[in-house]
Amino acid sequence: QVQLVESGGGLVQAGGSLRLSCAGSGRIFSSLVMGWFRQAPGKEREFLAAVNWSGRSSYYADSVKGRFTISRDNANNTVYLQMNSLKPEDTAVYYCAAHFGGSYYYATSYNYWGQGTQVTVSS
């Protein structure tokens, strides 16, 4: 069993930055690929980034490549998403998730999800 809790969301002006955190529990956390997704009202859940168990390999959606950075601290069972140059279209609920099989880019490949944290970017 893996439990995930996101934090760090909030209101920020366009061009600003936020860092999201995802605190995980469970012995297997450090062995899992972890991902970040977001969902805006009326839209499907969108893949943003994933990081392998060691943190040495990461994967990004084109929409956030160069602006967002995923990282992890296995000693503290935490995954981060640093978001820079934020845009109003980045407004959404952001979720972290634990991957259990299949493509990193699909939400169906992730078995455990946090409750989400709201990010609002004002213009």
Side-chain angles (χ1 to χ4, degrees):
Q1 186 77 9
V2 177
Q3 294 181 327
L4 304 170
V5 179
E6 302 96 336
S7 61
L11 174 64
V12 64
Q13 288 189 333
S17 299
L18 281 176
R19 188 176 81 155
L20 306 183
S21 299
C22 172
S25 64
R27 294 180 180 179
I28 62 173
F29 178 89
S30 61
S31 66
L32 296 173
V33 170
M34 296 296 298
W36 283 96
F37 288 74
R38 68 186 177 191
Q39 189 165 18
K43 295 189 176 181
E44 292 188 354
R45 196 161 291 193
E46 175 190 11
F47 168 80
L48 299 175
V51 63
N52 78 332
W53 68 272
S54 69
R56 292 194 183 103
S57 296
S58 55
Y59 313 87
Y60 295 93
D62 288 342
S63 59
V64 303
K65 198 174 295 183
R67 298 191 299 126
F68 291 8
T69 303
I70 190 171
S71 61
R72 68 189 300 162
D73 177 357
N74 285 339
N76 292 300
N77 275 12
T78 304
V79 177
Y80 302 98
L81 186 69
Q82 176 67 44
M83 305 186 296
N84 299 327
S85 302
L86 284 162
K87 306 174 183 179
E89 52 263 43
D90 294 318
T91 295
V93 178
Y94 284 67
Y95 300 90
C96 70
H99 174 267
F100 272 80
S103 170
Y104 300 155
Y105 297 90
Y106 298 121
T108 52
S109 299
Y110 294 76
N111 284 35
Y112 295 101
W113 294 81
Q115 83 289 350
T117 185
Q118 176 71 46
V119 171
T120 302
V121 184
S122 64
S123 57

